[in-house]
Amino acid sequence: MYNFEFEKPTTVADAVAALGGDDAQALGGGQTLIPTLKQRLNQPGKLVSLTGISEMNGVSVDGGVVTVGAATCHADVEAGAGAYPALAALAGQIGDPAVRNRGTVGGSLANNDPAACYPSAALGSGATIVTNTREIAADDYFQGMFSTALEEGEIITAVKFPIPDCASYQKFLQPASRFALTGVFVAKYGDNVRVAVTGASEEGVFRWAEAEAALSANFAPEAIDGLSVSADGMVGDIHGTPAYRAHLVGVMTKRAVAAAH
Amino acid sequence: MPKDHGIGAAPKRREDLRFLTGTGNYTDDINLAGQAYVYFLRADVAHAKINGMNMDAAAAMPGVVRIFTGADFEGVGGLPCGWQIHSKDGSPMHEPPHPVIAQGKIRYVGEIVAAIVADSLEQARDAAEAIELDLEELPAVVDMKAALADGSALVHDEVPNNRVYDWGFVEENAAATDEAIKNAAHVTTLELVNNRLVANPMEPRVAIGDYTRHNDESTLYTTSQNPHVIRLLMGAFVLGIPEHKLRVIAPDVGGGFGTKIFHYAEEAFVTFASKQINRAIKWTSSRSEAFISDAQGRDHVTKIELALDADNNFTAVRTHTLANMGAYLSTFSTSVPTYLHGTLMAGNYKTPLVYINVEAVFTNTVPVDAYRGAGRPEATYQLERVIDKAARELGVDPIELRRQNFITEFPYATPVALEYDTGDYDATMTKLEEIADLSGFAARRAESEKNGKLRGLGVNCYIEACGIAPSNVAGALGARAGLYESATVRVNATGGVVVMTGAHSHGQGHETSFPQVISEMIGIDESQVEIVHGDTGRGAMGMGTYGSRSIAVGGAAMVRATEKIINKAKKIAAHLLEASDSDIELKDGTFSVAGTDKSIAWGDVCLTAYVPHNYPLEDLEPGLEETAFYDPANFTFPSGAYACEVEVDPDTGEVSVQRFAAADDFGNIINPMIVDGQVHGGIAQGIGQALRENTVYDENGQLLSASYMDYAMPRADDVPFYEVDHSCQTPCTHNPLGVKGCGEAGAIGSPPAVVNAVIDALQSGGHDVTHIDMPVSPSRVWAAMNG
């Protein structure tokens, strides 16, 4: 690890100011950034921790929306998002207890790892990403592997998840990391069903439009029968071929629909 | 009633108090006054010529003490290989130099290119980044078949076709085996891969070199399974330091699994460089470094043929194996695919003809050497997989096919040079059928199918050769070391006992089990016995711990030394009791004269030995301390039968181990709780190999599975609760404890059971799948099911 300055502001305004420098970088729970620093693969001049900002911490429920402060750790989401059980369950399946007590929602969404869990919940729920300057619809936020709509210095402060009629996240584990080899988040809002897939595509999290249409017409596992996603553009690595991941998208979608009932 | 002390009792492990409360003394816990730190600049390409290095900027950086390169080691020996193999044509194996630091050429990602010694580790790392390397990349040799092809790039220019040796065993069987296979009623053929593994002990390697000028002595603190062997290899072959000027200490060691047997470049470096700069130097491996510098395990590609007659009797076994050595010959690498593998290819069966051909191959990868089981898992896996395949082809019960071919009379001379002293394979199989509840399998399968899962049962046997080894036999086969063990038993004046053993405990629980033997022999409480190991400055020359040899060889040495102690103590007791020493009996810590009520306590006799006022000084020396070296007459042959039940999810290919049972014959047992633990750990590693672990290089020699993000270790929820039994006991006939060793059995016996079970599950679902290579990952199972 190289040396760096460290700041831990208590307000969003101070954090924005602290991030104004040239090579400052925001630090959430550090579950990706800190290992990268230890490997000397990153050399920020300053780290600005966001976990001391009380307005960015905690889970609240109001008017059918669960709002999660961006600096809330996964364990607190698991404990506090009971109004949205599929979201709480997703948080409870991330990593291990140590990870869940350090890693944050905002950190996960800002990083947008193609195998992370939260992006599928945000996209699958049609969530709103709230930053210090604006609100971004999830459909506009995710822009490919490790790429988002965030501007330089922009901080996610909260995420608003509309509570669906029912939902489920089904994750098939990559055997080593236990990230999602393929994970599918299905959420039903009246006649509108959203299906978001993580872990599978080289473009990161994506919506499976064909399945959404079929499930909006008939919200049942068998509605997926005969549907498939193309293996083109799926991730191929030592844990699974593109064809295997494409197959898992279908299997996990069916399981999510079955579990959402 | 179970015993509460001595042999067969199950006291809790005394060492666990310090291990579980963070008060152990591991090598990294040791910090010496004024120590410097070394950071190794390691190659990030697999194969390249080093045309130049510019270190000017690095050398001038803050805190840098000195930077060492290959040039500093030109007059120093290379790392030796401890076992010489001869090819079929009689020629000795190719044995190119194995430098401490790369000299002119890089041969694998992870090889040391330069060593930066600085006041702090961070300063050393900073300086490493300022070193400029002028490299000329060469094509990497990764795949073994490609490596052997004419025209392949050469890892070592002087080794044609990258072939280290082409070994045949037993050569006299070759023609008859070919003939038997030609004339067989049925031949089953199987090609398989024994996947390469990273050992992953919990504690990464650490080495501290400490030279003291006032007495010209060097001390090496290191994470080793065999500090005496390191002293001999490093002192005599690498650095030229006589043993009386070199002390090697391996304190608490957090797991070895074989990879801490070998003599490593980092150990030689810190010892050498400490003398150069007259300052202690410490190196602690990061986990990332461990992936590219700890010797790896397995990596065999094999074709095996099993011939049967019309009555399903095995008539011959023939194999051809490619064994990956990596880029250099690690300490015992050459023995693993040969004498630790070929000699086990008869298995538990009376197959009259066996012929093994092994070609060892250099590649631009991390060196490969012994890993828990070392050659024996590779042998067991091939044999037990091909027998299972044969049973399916012939439509016979796989258990009955094995039973029919079991060796039943002992001693038994195999066609591959071993003589099994004892065993009862039918007994362990029968015990397995009971503890695995095989009669209930059909009902469990039906239940799984109701839940949409395919259920499979896999059964196999194993035999291993442990207690390595009779030194003369090993020497005749090419070993460049003796394989005895030593023990010094020191009885203090007040009766307490200290045993200095050449065996080394790095998780095996010797500090608990060894005193049980002393307690049994003398009748004193185990708390009166202390075990000292891991320090060449304290004990006699010993060969260390690997190959499940500690109790069978080290324990036997301790018994021999204790027998000498008891004989001498009886003479002292006889003098004090005014009786003939032949009439003295020792029981429960008391010497008595047979047939009388005259007795004297152990402690009084010990005190007399050190305060010899009333003592037969004309016949007997004072004191009570004895040393014994024990060289075994034969290997020991633990054996057993294992059963695994898996569920396969037909939608995803995911395999879940539902049940696992192990019926082992370890001969006599010292501490059944410790034996259970050894078997549990071994099975977990075997399940890890079968389902999870894989070491994958890309075509450029880059390790793709270089961290726990991609290298899948088995976790607690990957393994079931085990049914473990070791009540079938045919004691070893040639060591004084009748013990056989239990350290590797689980890792040897479990992989074929898992894979056999997966194949059984898939076939029960109508899938015509006869083999899947390990690790049997979800994606591989799904691909096999879907053609």
Side-chain angles (χ1 to χ4, degrees):
Chain A
M1 194 179 285
Y2 300 106
N3 289 335
F4 51 81
E5 301 293 320
F6 182 76
E7 282 193 47
K8 192 170 183 180
T10 55
T11 67
V12 172
D14 286 350
V16 171
L19 282 167
D22 266 353
D23 55 356
Q25 214 167 327
L27 174 68
Q31 297 306 291
T32 301
L33 182 53
I34 297 294
T36 311
L37 295 180
K38 284 182 170 177
Q39 299 273 355
R40 294 189 163 207
L41 296 172
N42 196 337
Q43 190 171 10
K46 187 203 289 180
L47 284 186
V48 180
S49 169
L50 305 178
T51 53
I53 302 169
S54 56
E55 62 193 286
M56 283 175 60
N57 244 302
V59 182
S60 62
V61 183
D62 186 28
V65 174
V66 174
T67 302
V68 181
T72 310
C73 71
H74 312 325
D76 288 345
V77 176
E78 181 187 10
Y84 192 164
L87 179 64
L90 174 145
Q93 291 171 42
I94 297 173
D96 54 32
V99 169
R100 292 196 287 274
N101 280 284
R102 295 295 306 176
T104 65
V105 178
S108 174
L109 292 178
N111 189 45
N112 192 21
D113 187 300
C117 296
Y118 269 120
S120 71
L123 190 61
S125 304
T128 302
I129 316 297
V130 183
T131 77
N132 57 310
T133 59
R134 57 181 170 149
E135 297 199 345
I136 311 171
D139 284 325
D140 302 324
Y141 175 81
F142 299 102
Q143 300 191 345
M145 190 182 280
F146 296 111
S147 176
T148 70
L150 291 176
E151 304 284 349
E152 196 70 29
E154 188 174 9
I155 300 171
I156 303 176
T157 57
V159 187
K160 294 181 187 171
F161 293 92
I163 300 172
D165 307 341
C166 61
S168 175
Y169 176 60
Q170 295 292 319
K171 170 163 68 166
F172 191 84
L173 298 177
Q174 194 259 50
S177 68
R178 297 205 170 182
F179 273 61
L181 189 74
T182 293
V184 177
F185 197 100
V186 171
K188 181 176 186 295
Y189 295 87
D191 293 337
N192 183 20
V193 175
R194 294 175 70 101
V195 177
V197 180
T198 189
S201 168
E202 289 180 342
E203 297 301 313
V205 66
F206 70 96
R207 286 174 68 185
W208 186 13
E210 207 181 353
E212 289 184 350
L215 290 168
S216 295
N218 173 23
F219 193 69
E222 49 272 23
I224 304 301
D225 289 342
L227 300 185
S228 62
V229 294
S230 167
D232 291 344
M234 293 285 140
V235 175
D237 61 15
I238 64 175
H239 305 290
T241 58
Y244 182 58
R245 281 185 168 84
H247 167 75
L248 284 179
V249 171
V251 174
M252 292 296 118
T253 302
K254 276 179 97 157
R255 289 185 180 179
V257 173
H261 272 287
Chain B
M1 205 180 120
K3 294 177 72 172
D4 63 359
H5 71 281
I7 292 174
K12 296 268 192 298
R13 302 197 333 163
R14 59 171 74 170
E15 48 270 77
D16 285 347
L17 179 66
R18 67 178 194 274
F19 293 161
L20 298 177
T21 57
T23 53
N25 181 39
Y26 296 91
T27 309
D28 192 51
D29 293 320
I30 297 168
N31 290 292
L32 304 176
Q35 72 190 7
Y37 297 82
V38 60
Y39 177 78
F40 292 109
L41 177 63
R42 295 181 184 276
D44 61 2
V45 296
H47 200 188
K49 271 189 198 155
I50 305 173
N51 288 332
M53 298 171 70
N54 183 346
M55 298 179 298
D56 294 348
M61 287 180 68
V64 173
V65 177
R66 190 168 156 189
I67 300 174
F68 294 81
T69 67
D72 293 290
F73 283 80
E74 273 169 8
V76 178
L79 303 174
C81 179
W83 203 301
Q84 187 181 43
I85 302 298
H86 285 81
S87 287
K88 287 191 284 193
D89 63 7
S91 60
M93 68 185 189
H94 290 284
E95 207 171 345
H98 184 178
V100 174
I101 299 181
Q103 296 191 356
K105 196 177 177 195
I106 287 165
R107 294 187 174 87
Y108 66 95
V109 171
E111 183 166 10
I112 298 170
V113 178
I116 302 90
V117 179
D119 293 334
S120 77
L121 181 59
E122 288 299 304
Q123 288 170 327
R125 281 187 81 167
D126 288 344
E129 291 177 4
I131 293 176
E132 293 169 27
L133 296 179
D134 177 8
L135 301 181
E136 179 185 340
E137 273 202 65
L138 302 168
V141 179
V142 178
D143 177 75
M144 285 193 280
K145 283 176 185 158
L148 288 168
D150 289 339
S152 167
L154 296 178
V155 179
H156 299 271
D157 292 342
E158 63 271 42
V159 183
N161 297 83
N162 296 302
R163 187 184 284 106
V164 180
Y165 54 71
D166 181 5
W167 180 77
F169 188 71
V170 174
E171 208 51 52
E172 292 72 33
N173 292 348
T177 303
D178 291 348
E179 192 66 18
I181 287 173
K182 206 165 71 185
N183 298 329
H186 184 88
V187 178
T188 296
T189 304
L190 184 59
E191 294 186 37
L192 43 76
V193 173
N194 204 292
N195 42 326
R196 183 190 279 233
L197 304 174
V198 177
N200 284 303
M202 198 178 289
E203 176 205 30
R205 289 188 296 120
V206 183
I208 307 169
D210 182 28
Y211 174 75
T212 47
R213 186 171 278 176
H214 69 271
N215 56 5
D216 191 32
E217 282 187 11
S218 294
T219 302
L220 168 68
Y221 302 86
T222 185
T223 47
S224 176
Q225 301 176 215
N226 32 237
H228 286 92
V229 175
I230 301 304
R231 185 181 64 168
L232 177 63
L233 292 176
M234 185 175 78
F237 296 99
V238 186
L239 301 180
I241 305 173
E243 283 155 294
H244 63 281
K245 290 293 183 190
L246 177 59
R247 180 176 177 185
V248 179
I249 298 172
D252 286 335
V253 173
F257 310 113
T259 205
K260 290 177 182 168
I261 297 172
F262 323 120
H263 177 39
Y264 284 97
E266 294 87 355
E267 297 170 323
F269 175 80
V270 295
T271 308
F272 173 84
S274 173
K275 184 170 183 177
Q276 301 290 308
I277 67 167
N278 194 28
R279 193 173 163 187
I281 300 176
K282 182 173 191 173
W283 170 70
T284 301
S285 173
S286 67
R287 184 62 68 182
S288 303
E289 272 183 293
F291 270 97
I292 55 170
S293 69
D294 290 2
Q296 300 175 350
R298 315 279 194 258
D299 205 351
H300 288 190
V301 175
T302 294
K303 178 184 177 187
I304 181 168
E305 296 157 285
L306 171 67
L308 302 94
D309 68 15
D311 298 321
N312 297 338
N313 297 309
F314 302 161
T315 57
V317 167
R318 181 171 64 189
T319 74
H320 174 258
T321 289
L322 299 181
N324 202 334
M325 294 285 103
Y328 294 100
L329 298 181
S330 177
T331 311
F332 288 112
S333 56
T334 51
S335 65
V336 175
T338 51
Y339 292 106
L340 297 178
H341 159 248
T343 53
L344 273 302
M345 285 307 302
N348 309 56
Y349 311 102
K350 54 191 177 196
T351 317
L353 288 165
V354 179
Y355 179 71
I356 313 300
N357 178 207
V358 178
E359 293 179 85
V361 185
F362 279 127
T363 58
N364 291 117
T365 61
V366 172
V368 179
D369 206 323
Y371 170 76
R372 200 171 191 171
R376 291 152 289 172
E378 294 90 324
T380 302
Y381 182 65
Q382 300 163 39
L383 195 58
E384 296 295 328
R385 283 287 302 120
V386 81
I387 292 171
D388 228 60
K389 187 166 184 243
R392 293 187 180 282
E393 289 174 356
L394 296 165
V396 299
D397 180 85
I399 293 177
E400 290 316 311
L401 180 61
R402 287 177 169 88
R403 266 211 168 92
Q404 169 184 345
N405 285 283
F406 276 160
I407 295 160
T408 54
E409 289 176 19
F410 297 88
Y412 176 82
T414 74
V416 274
L418 294 179
E419 183 171 286
Y420 301 164
D421 60 342
T422 54
D424 188 343
Y425 310 140
D426 195 67
T428 45
M429 183 58 86
T430 301
K431 177 56 73 176
L432 179 77
E433 290 174 318
E434 173 199 325
I435 63 171
D437 183 29
L438 294 191
S439 59
F441 173 70
R444 293 191 292 275
R445 170 175 274 175
E447 188 64 27
S448 294
E449 287 174 349
K450 230 187 286 174
N451 297 321
K453 301 283 172 61
L454 302 173
R455 195 177 187 103
L457 168 67
V459 171
N460 64 271
C461 300
Y462 78 90
I463 185 163
E464 53 169 331
C466 295
I468 182 169
S471 293
N472 54 351
V473 174
L477 300 179
R480 290 163 166 161
L483 285 158
Y484 50 83
E485 196 48 86
S486 71
T488 296
V489 176
R490 174 179 299 160
V491 181
N492 290 320
T494 54
V497 176
V498 180
V499 179
M500 282 142 284
T501 172
H504 185 278
S505 187
H506 31 279
Q508 291 84 349
H510 296 169
E511 290 169 42
T512 302
S513 56
F514 278 37
Q516 292 180 245
V517 176
I518 300 282
S519 170
E520 182 79 26
M521 293 180 74
I522 299 176
I524 57 175
D525 195 82
E526 282 140 18
S527 65
Q528 298 302 303
V529 186
E530 198 67 29
I531 304 299
V532 173
H533 62 87
D535 184 350
T536 63
R538 295 185 72 183
M541 175 73 184
M543 294 307 295
T545 286
Y546 38 82
S548 307
R549 70 192 301 271
S550 298
I551 200 71
V553 190
M558 180 176 67
V559 168
R560 291 282 187 252
T562 306
E563 285 169 352
K564 293 186 195 179
I565 292 280
I566 291 172
N567 283 339
K568 184 172 179 183
K570 280 184 175 175
K571 288 182 178 149
I572 300 169
H575 176 83
L576 295 172
L577 295 171
E578 296 175 334
S580 162
D581 50 317
S582 61
D583 290 334
I584 301 292
E585 294 173 344
L586 172 60
K587 190 165 184 261
D588 296 333
T590 299
F591 295 94
S592 56
V593 182
T596 75
D597 59 357
K598 292 200 321 188
S599 69
I600 185 167
W602 165 258
D604 292 328
V605 171
C606 299
L607 189 64
T608 303
Y610 288 95
V611 188
H613 297 165
N614 177 14
Y615 195 91
L617 285 165
E618 60 283 5
D619 301 322
L620 212 56
E621 294 170 6
L624 207 45
E625 175 165 333
E626 299 287 351
T627 295
F629 284 74
Y630 178 82
D631 204 283
N634 191 357
F635 297 87
T636 63
F637 299 98
S639 63
Y642 284 17
C644 177
E645 282 182 35
V646 300
E647 274 188 353
V648 176
D649 181 337
D651 294 333
T652 63
E654 189 174 30
V655 176
S656 155
V657 179
Q658 296 290 309
R659 295 167 67 94
F660 203 104
D664 292 293
D665 175 0
F666 296 132
N668 294 335
I669 302 281
I670 307 299
N671 183 322
M673 179 198 71
I674 288 178
V675 171
D676 283 353
Q678 289 286 317
V679 176
H680 288 186
I683 295 172
Q685 280 183 304
I687 290 174
Q689 173 169 25
L691 297 181
R692 293 276 184 254
E693 299 181 47
N694 203 16
T695 309
V696 186
Y697 287 91
D698 73 7
E699 67 276 13
N700 298 315
Q702 294 291 339
L703 182 60
L704 299 178
S705 52
S707 80
Y708 294 136
M709 292 298 281
D710 286 300
Y711 190 90
M713 294 291 284
R715 305 196 194 195
D717 61 356
D718 288 323
V719 299
F721 287 94
Y722 307 114
E723 289 292 335
V724 169
D725 180 279
H726 30 74
S727 64
C728 297
Q729 298 179 356
T730 60
C732 170
T733 56
H734 55 80
N735 66 45
L737 290 167
V739 294
K740 295 185 172 184
C742 67
E744 296 157 297
I748 293 170
S750 53
V754 177
V755 179
N756 288 348
V758 173
I759 300 302
D760 185 54
L762 295 181
Q763 296 214 350
S764 79
H767 299 281
D768 183 24
V769 176
T770 57
H771 181 68
I772 302 174
D773 274 324
M774 300 187 293
V776 182
S777 63
S779 61
R780 285 183 177 178
V781 174
W782 179 78
M785 282 191 295
N786 292 278

